[in-house]
Amino acid sequence: MSNTANIPAPALAGQLPVAGTAYGLGIGPGEPDLITLKAYNILQKADVIAYPALEDGASLARQIIAPHLAGNSQNDRIEIAIRITMGEPADPIYDQAALEIGEHLKAGKSVAVLCEGDPFFYGSFMYLFGRLAEAGHPVQTVPGVSSMMACAAQLGAPLAAKNDVLQVIPGPLSEDRLRAQLGNTDAAAIIKLGRHFPKVRKVIEELGLTDRARYIERATLETQKMIPLGDLPIDATAPYFSMILIHRRGDAWR
Ligand SMILES: C[S@@+](CC[C@H](N)C(=O)[O-])C[C@H]1O[C@@H](n2cnc3c(N)ncnc32)[C@H](O)[C@@H]1O
C-alpha cells in the first residue's frame, strides 16, 4: 500500500517521460502495433531502456519494440538487458537491476522498463516496481495489451459474457489444484504452459473439457500457431509463450 506514495501525478502527454522517473511500459503481446500511444511516446524519448533477457541476451521485449526505434536518432540511449538465468534465484538479479536503474534515476534520467503484455498481469516489471518504489523513486506503470486479450482476439473466442466467472490459472499449479480450479470453471485462461503442458492437458481431458479448449502459442507474432486442443498430437509439446482458453458453454455468446 505504501508504494502509492511514489506514484507521480499524471503528466501531460507532451511532457513524458519526466526526468528521474521510471516507467513500466506494457508493450503488448508481440505484434509491434499492439502498443499504446503512451508507451510509444515514452519509448521514443526515454534516456534508458531496460528489458528482461535470456542468458544469451536475446529478448522478446526488445525485439517487439525494435521497429519503433528504427528511425529514432537518439544515439546516446543507454540499454540495460536484465539477464535472467533459468534455475537460479531471480531476487539478486532484480536487486542489482534496481540499483543500476536507481543510479540513472538519481542522475535525472528517465528509464523505460519494457514489459511484454501488461506489466501488472504476471509481469516481471512488478519486481522492479516494488524495489524502486520502496527506494523512494517515482515509478509509473503504463498498462498494455495483455496476452490473454490478444489470444482471445486471435482465436475469435470471447473470454467471458453474462455472469461468467473468468479464471486465470497458472500451469505450474499442482494437478490437484488444477483439477479443483478447472472443475468449477465457466471460463479459464491457462497460462505458463511450457513443461507443464502434459499435466494441464491430462486434467482437461479428465474433466471432459477438451472439446471446449483452444490452444494458441506466440499469439500475434509471425510464428503464431493455434488449434483446438483436441486436434493436437497426443505427444505435442508447448513453449512458454502459449495459452489454453476454455469456455464451458463452448462459446461465450451462447
Ligand atoms: C509471466 S506471464 C506474463 C504475461 C504478460 N505480462 C501479459 O500481460 O500477457 C507469461 C505467460 O503469458 C502468456 N503469454 C505471453 N505472451 C503470449 C503470447 N504472445 N501468446 C501466448 N501466450 C502468451 C503465456 O502463457 C506465458 O507463459
Side-chain angles (χ1 to χ4, degrees), residues 29 116-118 121-123 146-148 151 191-193 216-219 240-243:
E116 199 254 342
D118 179 85
F121 183 72
Y122 296 93
S146 175
S147 58
M148 190 167 69
C151 288
I191 63 170
K192 301 187 189 178
L193 293 175
I216 183 164
E217 65 185 50
R218 301 188 178 93
Y240 177 70
F241 286 102
S242 64
M243 189 178 299

Side-chain angles (χ1 to χ4, degrees), residues 1 24 31 41 45 50 75 111 113 128 170 173 183 189 198 203 219 243:
M1 284 301 163
E31 184 184 339
N41 287 329
K45 296 193 197 155
N75 294 326
V111 181
V113 183
L128 289 173
L173 292 185
V203 172
M243 189 178 299

Side-chain angles (χ1 to χ4, degrees), residues 1-240:
M1 284 301 163
S2 60
N3 288 345
T4 52
N6 304 310
I7 297 175
L12 294 174
Q15 299 169 340
L16 293 174
V18 174
T21 299
Y23 296 87
L25 291 192
I27 55 164
E31 184 184 339
D33 277 3
L34 289 173
I35 188 171
T36 64
L37 274 179
K38 184 167 182 173
Y40 177 89
N41 287 329
I42 291 172
L43 192 58
Q44 294 305 311
K45 296 193 197 155
D47 300 309
V48 180
I49 296 181
Y51 44 84
L54 300 176
E55 250 170 299
D56 63 3
S59 167
L60 176 61
R62 181 65 181 81
Q63 182 191 320
I64 290 172
I65 56 99
H68 299 313
L69 294 182
N72 187 301
S73 56
Q74 193 174 321
N75 294 326
D76 56 350
R77 178 185 298 109
I78 298 162
E79 298 206 14
I80 301 172
I82 304 168
R83 293 173 195 246
I84 308 293
T85 310
M86 288 297 169
E88 284 192 19
D91 277 350
I93 298 170
Y94 290 121
D95 287 344
Q96 180 54 39
L99 284 178
E100 192 176 349
I101 290 169
E103 289 304 314
H104 288 300
L105 296 173
K106 275 192 249 168
K109 294 194 185 307
S110 56
V111 181
V113 183
L114 309 182
C115 187
E116 199 254 342
D118 179 85
F120 278 179
F121 183 72
Y122 296 93
S124 58
F125 167 70
M126 69 184 82
Y127 306 119
L128 289 173
F129 175 86
R131 286 164 168 82
L132 292 170
E134 279 171 21
H137 297 293
V139 194
Q140 203 182 41
T141 301
V142 179
V145 177
S146 175
S147 58
M148 190 167 69
M149 310 310 168
C151 288
Q154 296 299 99
L155 285 163
L159 287 167
K162 300 176 186 166
N163 291 328
D164 287 335
V165 175
L166 171 65
Q167 298 188 74
V168 179
I169 304 180
L173 292 185
S174 71
E175 205 171 308
D176 284 348
R177 181 89 193 276
L178 284 170
R179 199 173 287 110
Q181 298 293 141
L182 280 169
N184 182 30
T185 199
D186 298 323
I190 309 172
I191 63 170
K192 301 187 189 178
L193 293 175
R195 66 190 169 87
H196 304 285
F197 179 68
K199 170 187 65 181
V200 171
R201 193 174 184 186
K202 176 169 168 266
V203 172
I204 292 172
E205 185 66 31
E206 283 170 9
L207 293 170
L209 290 169
T210 298
D211 65 347
R212 299 291 189 242
R214 300 167 168 102
Y215 169 84
I216 183 164
E217 65 185 50
R218 301 188 178 93
T220 78
L221 290 159
E222 279 174 13
T223 48
Q224 170 182 295
K225 283 189 201 151
M226 53 184 182
I227 186 168
L229 185 65
D231 290 353
L232 272 176
I234 202 67
D235 58 350
T237 57
Y240 177 70

